[in-house]
Amino acid sequence: ISLNGPAFNLMKMFDQTMTWDDIVKYDAISQEGRELVEKLVHQGKDILLGSTANAGRNTFLNLLISSIQKDWRVVIVEKTATTNIDNRKRTVMLETPNNDPSEMKMLIKAVETMRADYIVVNELLGSETVDCLNLSREGHSLISLISAENTLDALKRVELKLLSAQIGLGLTEIRSIVSSAFEIIIHLEYCSNGKRKVSEICQVGCDDLGNYKITPMYRYNKETDKDELLDAGREYMTKK
């Protein structure tokens, strides 16, 4: 109930689609970071995209989708359609019929039979997270968006959604599932200086004790205001 009278909230989509060249020009990511992300997507890596509020998550998600190989089949699943994909063939966009988060599970079930090469989920909301991660572990490439404060918080929030789904597994088993479902975490941040930045790109693994092994590949250094391609990122870029 609006206590001070009727209110109208309008979400307006930009007429002009942002490109990789644009966000490099606006200093959201370096050219090295762009090349790293494009290679990760081109090779079909499973990516968890974490983001703080107002960090440009939809713009960046559009760029990730644009980097998927053109002959791959892509299915995009959303509660409310916000992606803006122009002139891409072999792409199916699914939206919940009643803007209800509980309907996301129904859409994910439908995706199982669509033989998608890349599945994009915008964003992980509830119990459908279990089905999304199962699709990834079955061999589908997956890009999923989740609201988070940092890289580790993104993983913790996925854990929480799996725990709330009551699938009968302990925390160690759940962490193993999460780390096997997502190979890469990309985190976006709206910084105190007003910049929207790709703050970190990391590889994800898990040890035998159920602890995450997070290896940074790229990061934004707030102290120096510089973007840095780290050793793990350089090593990955030298591989074919």
Side-chain angles (χ1 to χ4, degrees):
I1 299 174
S2 177
L3 299 181
N4 59 343
F8 181 69
N9 184 27
L10 177 65
M11 179 183 291
K12 183 178 180 181
M13 305 296 291
F14 287 110
D15 295 331
Q16 185 176 358
T17 303
M18 295 279 286
T19 66
W20 281 111
D21 289 338
D22 290 330
I23 70 165
V24 170
K25 181 179 69 176
Y26 296 146
D27 198 29
I29 191 172
S30 69
Q31 182 62 29
E32 288 181 317
R34 167 191 175 172
E35 292 170 1
L36 174 60
V37 173
E38 288 184 313
K39 184 173 181 179
L40 290 168
V41 176
H42 192 77
Q43 293 187 342
K45 298 297 184 182
D46 298 304
I47 297 172
L48 179 62
L49 179 61
S51 173
T52 61
N54 301 318
R57 66 178 82 185
N58 289 322
T59 297
F60 198 82
L61 184 61
N62 288 335
L63 292 173
L64 292 182
I65 297 170
S66 72
S67 299
I68 298 173
Q69 297 189 45
K70 300 304 180 185
D71 59 341
W72 283 20
R73 295 182 294 268
V74 178
V75 178
I76 303 169
V77 182
E78 301 177 277
K79 181 174 75 74
T80 304
T82 56
T83 53
N84 184 16
I85 307 302
D86 294 328
N87 302 321
R88 182 186 170 88
K89 299 179 180 179
R90 293 188 153 208
T91 301
V92 175
M93 303 177 68
L94 304 178
E95 181 185 23
T96 56
N98 300 302
N99 198 25
D100 187 343
S102 65
E103 296 172 333
M104 288 287 287
K105 191 175 184 67
M106 173 189 68
L107 294 184
I108 297 298
K109 287 293 184 183
V111 173
E112 292 179 1
T113 62
M114 299 179 72
R115 299 181 61 195
D117 297 305
Y118 237 129
I119 300 168
V120 180
V121 181
N122 180 16
E123 70 185 288
L124 297 175
L125 298 171
S127 61
E128 82 284 349
T129 304
V130 177
D131 302 294
C132 290
L133 269 59
N134 284 336
L135 287 175
S136 172
R137 299 175 76 206
E138 290 170 3
H140 299 279
S141 294
L142 178 67
I143 298 174
S144 297
L145 174 65
I146 194 164
S147 298
E149 292 298 317
N150 52 54
T151 300
L152 183 59
D153 185 47
L155 293 171
K156 295 290 187 181
R157 293 194 184 210
V158 176
E159 284 179 18
L160 182 60
K161 293 182 186 303
L162 293 178
L163 287 169
S164 64
Q166 299 181 344
I167 56 178
L169 296 177
L171 185 57
T172 300
E173 291 85 359
I174 283 178
R175 286 179 176 174
S176 178
I177 291 172
V178 173
S179 62
S180 64
F182 294 112
E183 302 167 274
I184 301 293
I185 300 179
I186 300 174
H187 190 260
L188 312 178
E189 185 176 351
Y190 183 70
C191 303
S192 57
N193 60 10
K195 289 185 177 180
R196 292 176 171 86
K197 296 290 293 187
V198 177
S199 60
E200 202 165 31
I201 302 172
C202 299
Q203 294 172 318
V204 184
C206 191
D207 63 22
D208 295 336
L209 299 177
N211 299 312
Y212 290 119
K213 296 170 62 178
I214 301 175
T215 306
M217 305 173 76
Y218 170 97
R219 71 183 172 199
Y220 167 57
N221 189 325
K222 294 181 181 179
E223 293 182 359
T224 61
D225 194 28
K226 299 291 185 182
D227 298 304
E228 303 171 346
L229 184 67
L230 305 177
D231 290 343
R234 292 192 189 94
E235 181 181 352
Y236 179 78
M237 291 302 293
T238 59
K239 296 179 180 179
K240 293 183 179 180

